Amino acid sequence: MKQSIQWVRSVIFLGLIYFNLLVVGIVFLPWALVSRSGAFAAAHTWCRSTMWLAGWMVGIKTEVRGTPPTGEVIVAAKHQSFLDIIMIYASLPRGKFIMKKELIYTPVIGIYGLRMGCVPVDRGKRGAAIRKMVAQVVAGIGNPGQLIIFAQGTRVPPTEKLPYKIGAGILYKELKQDCVPVAVNVGAFWPAHGIMRTPGTAVIEFLPTIPAGKSLSDFMEELENVVETRSEELLVESGYYERQK
């Protein structure tokens, strides 16, 4: 019975956050069209209201650890579910994503993503995508903000392992910017797929900065090591593995 109630609450929660996305998108649209500040304000409003709803509707509390960056940096994060997108973005003043090209055609998300300076890339053509990604980022470097990239390129459930893609390293090398790694445990409560949401404390943690200037290989090794190690520790702390037994 308890599981059934949680499932129903999860369904209602998902319906509410997407309805809220539409409402926020419409309300902020005039401001967003004339100013990027309006787009950032809309995104922050929706992310924070979603986190609030998650807390009292499905029992997912959210916690941000470490110091979110405010300057021009690359934010390279682990990606376990939609919740880490929400939490990371809510923590940054001017976040912009490397995102799938298909998302620009998504209602609300597409227009706001472009207004915020997100960079759409075609993941189906890896070499061309990386070159285009770097060119687009460099072309838009005048727009201040924190460039968010998911280092594995896709959502990775807690029990799965995927290699880190070279895109984060190439951006680090070409842009000559510091990189802030981000570890997460959100997949323990908000899965990559499915409806059920599990109560608990979802954590994202901004880790110590990797300074600009390292070699590509050293950067990639350090990034993967610190993010994977800390994400695993956060999963253990969350009790995820105990619940899987």
Side-chain angles (χ1 to χ4, degrees):
M1 175 63 76
K2 187 176 181 180
Q3 286 289 96
S4 298
I5 293 174
Q6 183 67 18
W7 189 87
V8 171
R9 292 172 72 92
S10 298
V11 171
I12 296 172
F13 166 71
L14 290 175
L16 274 178
I17 66 172
Y18 287 113
F19 176 73
N20 186 39
L21 177 66
L22 180 62
V23 171
V24 170
I26 292 173
V27 169
F28 280 85
L29 186 58
W31 183 15
L33 289 175
V34 299
S35 170
R36 292 180 72 230
S37 295
F40 288 118
H44 284 134
T45 297
W46 183 77
C47 288
R48 290 164 184 164
S49 61
T50 298
M51 291 160 62
W52 176 74
L53 283 169
W56 72 266
M57 283 202 70
V58 292
I60 300 178
K61 308 300 181 183
T62 55
E63 180 181 345
V64 177
R65 298 180 185 175
T67 304
T70 57
E72 289 288 320
V73 297
I74 299 166
V75 175
K78 189 165 181 67
H79 186 21
Q80 291 181 342
S81 78
F82 194 26
L83 183 55
D84 49 51
I85 295 177
I86 294 168
M87 292 177 66
I88 291 169
Y89 195 87
S91 305
L92 301 173
R94 293 255 166 174
K96 50 188 177 181
F97 288 95
I98 301 292
M99 67 181 193
K100 293 186 296 184
K101 184 178 180 180
E102 294 81 1
L103 289 178
I104 66 175
Y105 305 110
T106 304
V108 182
I109 292 175
I111 188 169
Y112 277 94
L114 293 175
R115 291 297 293 148
M116 292 184 297
C118 294
V119 181
V121 297
D122 184 351
R123 294 195 305 176
K125 302 175 181 177
R126 185 179 176 190
I130 290 174
R131 290 192 295 273
K132 183 178 179 182
M133 178 173 62
V134 172
Q136 287 179 324
V137 171
V138 171
I141 202 66
N143 296 323
Q146 300 77 46
L147 181 64
I148 306 162
I149 184 168
F150 292 110
Q152 290 167 292
T154 189
R155 289 173 295 184
V156 182
T159 55
E160 294 184 13
K161 304 293 182 183
L162 281 182
Y164 277 50
K165 304 218 178 258
I166 198 66
I170 292 178
L171 285 174
Y172 169 82
K173 181 180 177 182
E174 294 295 326
L175 298 181
K176 298 178 173 59
Q177 290 182 351
D178 294 346
C179 175
V180 178
V182 182
V184 308
N185 74 355
V186 302
F189 311 103
W190 183 317
H193 305 286
I195 292 173
M196 190 69 165
R197 301 295 180 261
T198 302
T201 301
V203 178
I204 65 167
E205 184 170 344
F206 291 91
L207 304 174
T209 299
I210 301 175
K214 290 180 177 286
S215 69
L216 181 59
S217 59
D218 286 348
F219 167 75
M220 292 300 299
E221 182 179 357
E222 181 174 353
L223 176 65
E224 181 169 355
N225 181 57
V226 297
V227 171
E228 288 299 305
T229 299
R230 187 56 185 150
S231 294
E232 185 67 17
E233 291 171 350
L234 292 175
L235 280 172
V236 172
E237 178 186 315
S238 75
Y240 175 75
Y241 292 113
E242 291 297 318
R243 295 197 302 274
Q244 302 307 302
K245 293 179 179 179

